[in-house]
Amino acid sequence: MVRGIMDYIKTITQLKGTLSQSFLLFAIWLSSFDAAVALQVRTGQDHLSSKPELANSTGYASFDPIEISPSVLPHYPVPQEPVPPMYPTFPPAHDPILSGRCSMNFSAISSILDRTASDCYQPLATVLGNVICCPQFSSLLHIFQGYYSIGSDKLILQNSVANDCFSDVVNILASRGANSTIPSLCSLNSSILTGGSCPVKDVHTFEKLVNTSKLLEACSSVDPLKECCLPVCQPALVNAALKLSAGNLTVIGSNDMIGGTVNVDAVNDCKMVVYSWLSRKLSSEAANAAFRILFACKINKVCPLDFRQPSEVIKACRNVAAPSPSCCSSLNAYVGGIQKQMLITNKQAIICATVFASMLQNAGVMTNVYQLCDVNLKDFTLQAFGQQGCLLRSLPADVVFDNSSGYGFTCDLNDDTEAPWPSSSSLSSFSLCAEKSIAVLPSSNSSGAPGCSSSGLEFIVFFFSLFVFSVASF
């Protein structure tokens, strides 16, 4: 009996390593298998939400999650290797290590810090940086700058203090799960808090030179649907920055200043001072909402993708007039490389598709290869689960969190639209400022669903924790 027990224990000990590996591989497979895309269809007017809607919310029809078969998910035989951004692990939270030289009551902006940490969440920051993380991080810094000296006449921080405070902000965000590399990711440093070369850095002179009542009226409540196309706050902010950059000089109109030409660097630095002043006058939530809309207008004017020279596509598609396997294969391979870069908005996708098409046209590819090869707008963004492109909406958005599902973000399903192939006539009339909601793109017939409005289809992609099991010692 005793000998039998000893043999059993010996056998278990020999199998311990094998069991550990089996459990680990099973855990990784299980976490991938559980990943699903939750669909939400809205039958009414569009809206943004920072939290996932309940299944029985008014105006929504709820669908069961799409089950993703393990066979279509990538397999990673070596768990220690870094996983792609669409399959992140979750970093633990920790207490921040602060410099002790930044006299700021961080609890006053705790909600904005939490939002920024969520929007710059470590596994997602690199793919959401341009659209969500960096705009929110910039907004946080402007709000911090205004709140820091709210009890004094200063609108900026001194260089030495700015360095310590900037470091503290980044450490606090990292302690709450944010990516610690967001300063380099967003190309921001402590100089954003100092006012740079702006000659006006105190409240008294600011309010003497700037029509503050008009500035507050224009920027206290920014319309997300109109500001990018019919700007109100943006010109008021630029006008205030121009006046500050001139110092005590008289400003005539919007561009001409007595005493010399406009100093672009000084104007840009003075914009930071204007943001600081607005942060003192508005609540942190109101300031954050306004700043995010202004940043959204800016990022949706350019394509953030990096296009390498499409030599192979040009060679395969230059003289094509009908669907060609070689042309489409070359084009799909090139677009596949683009899909590994980042998530972009629907408006950015339009610009990116137009930019790439113009590159091909300039090289002699005159046929609409997008149409020939069935290239859609969603093909210019990162692909969720390797199957479907996720285009974010052009309005400001945040990463959402659900206790049962984890972190995620909202994708716009109004993106199954053929990528635009520019022509001389289309370019002259092309505009991203639609008469309807600027957050919505038209849907193609193939993407429509019975009973679904073309302006209300969206889904939320969630990421699940990577569970790691181990076998305890006997």
Side-chain angles (χ1 to χ4, degrees), residues 166-244:
F166 185 85
S167 176
D168 284 355
V169 169
V170 173
N171 286 335
I172 290 174
L173 293 177
S175 73
R176 301 185 186 189
N179 195 314
S180 60
T181 66
I182 52 178
S184 59
L185 177 68
C186 302
S187 300
L188 291 173
N189 54 51
S190 61
S191 64
I192 194 175
L193 304 173
T194 65
S197 60
C198 184
V200 176
K201 301 178 179 180
D202 64 279
V203 175
H204 176 75
T205 309
F206 182 101
E207 295 181 347
K208 181 179 179 181
L209 295 176
V210 177
N211 189 330
T212 55
S213 60
K214 287 188 176 181
L215 178 61
L216 271 179
E217 181 182 0
C219 296
S220 59
S221 180
V222 181
D223 190 328
L225 297 180
K226 296 180 179 179
E227 181 64 30
C228 297
C229 297
L230 300 172
V232 176
C233 179
Q234 293 174 80
L237 193 151
V238 171
N239 185 57
L242 282 167
K243 291 182 177 180
L244 297 180

Side-chain angles (χ1 to χ4, degrees), residues 152-167:
S152 69
D153 190 50
K154 298 295 182 181
L155 289 170
I156 54 90
L157 282 69
Q158 298 300 321
N159 290 336
S160 59
V161 178
N163 290 332
D164 291 328
C165 288
F166 185 85
S167 176

